[in-house]
Amino acid sequence: MPSPTIDFRTIRPHHGSQHSGFEEAICQLAALETAPDAPFHRKGAGADAGLECYRVEADGSETGWQAKYFFEFGSSEASQLTESLSQAIARHPQLGRFIVGLPFNLSDGRVGNRISERDRWNRWVQARADAILPRVVTIELWDETQLIERFSRNEPQYAGRRHYWFDLLHFTPDWFQTRFAITRKALGTRYTPELNIELPIRRGLLAIARDPAFIESLTRLADELDEARHRTTDSVARILASGPAATQAADLDVRFRAISSLIRTASISPADPVPFDPWVRALDEASETLGVCSAAIWDLRTQQGGDRDEVRRVQFFVEHLYEAIEKVSGIIKRPVSRLANEHRLLVTGEAYPVKRRSKGTPDRRRRGTPFSDNM
C-alpha cells in the first residue's frame, strides 16, 4: 500500500527544536548504516567540531555527518557549510568522507544567468576540494529523496524511526503479523475467516443503534482531515503569502480546524441527531477555498523563476487534502451513515428457515439469532 508522505518540516522536535530533531534523525540513520563492530560516536550538545557524528572505518579513516536544517541553498547556507567543514577537517585529521544531510532537494532551474542551487552546490564542493589540497575528503549529499528512501525501507528499525520522527506508521509485514496475532488470540474460538462476512446491513444497524464503533468511526473522520491538513495548510499559506490568494491561503487552516472541531464536539447522544448536513456544508466551503488556493499554486508553476520543486510538492499535498475531503464527505453522505438519525427500522427479506422438531429433540438453531420465531 502507498505510504503517507514524509515532510521534514513536520519532524518531531528534539531538545526543544526541529533543528536538533533533524540532526538526531540523521545520526540515527548513520548509526543504522554502521556495522556493529565499527566504532560510532554521536557528538553531545555544544560545539560539535563540524560533525554531528562520525564512524571509524576499518582502515582508520573517519566518515562524518553534518546536518543542516534549512530549506534553501544560497550563499549564506554555503558559508555555514564551509565553516562546518573547516572545523571538521581541523579537528578530525583522519576524516575521509564528509556527508551533508539536507531536508530538501536542490533546485536545478536554469533561468538566464541565475545560479541554481544544484550549480551552487557543485561549485561549493569543487571549491572546498581545491581549498584543502593536498588533503582529500570526499563530500557527499543526503538530500530529501535519499532520506525519504531510508525512512521508507521495509525494515522494523527504519519503520520505528519513521513513526517516531514523523508520527507515521509504516505498515510492514511484521506490523501486520503482530496485529493479526493479537487479534486472533483475543477472539479465540469466536472468529474464523470462513464465517466472518461483513454485510452493509451490519453498518446500518451499528449506525441506527449508535453503537460505540459507529461513534468512533465518526471521530476518525476528524483524524483523517487533521492528518491531511497538518501537511498541507502551512505549506499553502507559506507559498501563497505574497500573492492574490494570500487571504484564502491563511484562512485554509482555520476552516479545516473548525470542521474537525465540529465533528469532535457534536452532541451525538441517542436523543440528538447527528449534524451531518452542517458538516457537509463546512466541507463544501473549505473545498471552495482550497480550489482558489490550488488554482493560485497552479499559476505559480507557469511563472518564470521560483522553486518549481517546492510548488510541485505543495500541489501534491493539496491533492492529498482533496482526497481526504472526498473520502470524509462520501462517508457522511452514505445512506447507511444517515440511518443514525432514524428512529425506526423495517427489515424485510426471506425468513431464516426453522425446522419443526419433535418432542424431546434439542433445539439446534444458532445461538444469538436476533429475531424470535413469531417476528
Side-chain angles (χ1 to χ4, degrees), residues 105-111 116-119 122 307 309:
N105 290 324
L106 299 171
S107 65
D108 196 20
R110 303 178 184 184
V111 181
S116 70
E117 291 177 330
R118 176 62 62 181
D119 290 337
N122 291 337
D307 189 340
D309 290 338

Side-chain angles (χ1 to χ4, degrees), residues 263-314:
I263 295 174
R264 289 196 175 95
T265 60
S267 178
I268 48 180
S269 63
D272 299 320
V274 180
F276 291 119
D277 291 335
W279 297 353
V280 171
R281 287 195 296 271
L283 283 167
D284 289 342
E285 293 171 0
S287 184
E288 291 179 4
T289 302
L290 184 60
V292 174
C293 296
S294 180
I297 294 170
W298 184 261
D299 289 341
L300 291 178
R301 297 183 64 174
T302 63
Q303 296 177 6
Q304 295 293 328
D307 189 340
R308 299 290 183 86
D309 290 338
E310 176 69 7
V311 173
R312 284 193 291 268
R313 187 181 73 88
V314 176

Side-chain angles (χ1 to χ4, degrees), residues 11-267:
I11 195 168
R12 180 191 294 272
H14 183 66
H15 293 320
S17 75
Q18 288 183 299
H19 194 138
S20 295
F22 184 68
E23 292 177 359
E24 179 62 23
I26 290 291
C27 291
Q28 290 184 10
L29 291 177
L32 289 177
E33 299 188 11
T34 300
D37 58 343
F40 181 83
H41 304 275
R42 169 71 166 106
K43 297 294 187 72
D48 58 15
L51 300 176
E52 319 297 350
C53 58
Y54 67 95
R55 175 179 70 213
V56 180
E57 309 293 357
D59 61 0
S61 66
E62 295 176 355
T63 297
W65 283 263
Q66 173 59 237
K68 293 297 184 184
Y69 190 66
F70 40 63
F71 291 87
E72 59 182 17
F73 191 69
S75 57
S76 175
E77 289 75 23
S79 296
Q80 293 181 46
L81 270 182
T82 298
E83 182 179 356
S84 295
L85 178 58
S86 299
Q87 292 179 0
I89 290 175
R91 305 290 181 86
H92 293 265
Q94 303 304 317
L95 185 68
R97 290 173 67 202
F98 182 75
I99 301 176
V100 179
L102 297 178
F104 73 105
N105 290 324
L106 299 171
S107 65
D108 196 20
R110 303 178 184 184
V111 181
N113 296 323
R114 180 179 177 183
I115 300 176
S116 70
E117 291 177 330
R118 176 62 62 181
D119 290 337
R120 190 182 300 277
W121 167 265
N122 291 337
R123 294 181 185 183
W124 179 83
V125 171
Q126 186 59 54
R128 291 307 94 211
D130 294 341
I132 63 176
L133 288 174
R135 187 169 171 180
V136 176
V137 176
T138 301
I139 301 175
E140 300 176 15
L141 175 64
W142 282 8
D143 59 12
E144 180 184 21
T145 296
Q146 295 189 49
L147 294 176
I148 288 177
E149 185 278 324
R150 286 172 166 83
F151 277 115
S152 301
R153 289 176 183 175
N154 194 24
E155 301 170 29
Q157 60 268 41
Y158 288 96
R161 283 163 175 80
R162 172 193 178 101
H163 182 44
Y164 176 81
W165 288 112
F166 304 98
D167 210 18
L168 297 174
L169 279 176
H170 191 176
F171 298 108
T172 63
D174 287 342
W175 187 92
F176 281 109
Q177 290 172 3
T178 300
R179 296 314 184 276
F180 174 73
I182 293 172
T183 303
R184 182 174 60 182
K185 182 178 180 180
L187 291 174
T189 60
R190 292 177 294 162
Y191 169 81
T192 58
E194 294 81 5
L195 298 180
N196 186 69
I197 303 174
E198 186 70 24
L199 298 174
I201 191 174
R202 179 178 181 273
R203 293 194 290 271
L205 291 173
L206 292 177
I208 198 169
R210 299 289 182 92
D211 187 90
F214 172 75
I215 303 302
E216 182 182 350
S217 72
L218 296 181
T219 303
R220 285 199 298 270
L221 298 180
D223 296 338
E224 294 257 5
L225 288 174
D226 281 343
E227 180 180 348
R229 171 193 60 78
H230 181 63
R231 308 186 181 285
T232 304
T233 54
D234 286 346
S235 298
V236 171
R238 185 168 51 251
I239 202 170
L240 298 179
S242 59
T247 301
Q248 290 88 341
D251 188 45
L252 203 59
D253 190 72
V254 176
R255 286 189 177 275
F256 280 96
R257 286 181 184 273
I259 296 171
S260 299
S261 179
L262 282 174
I263 295 174
R264 289 196 175 95
T265 60
S267 178

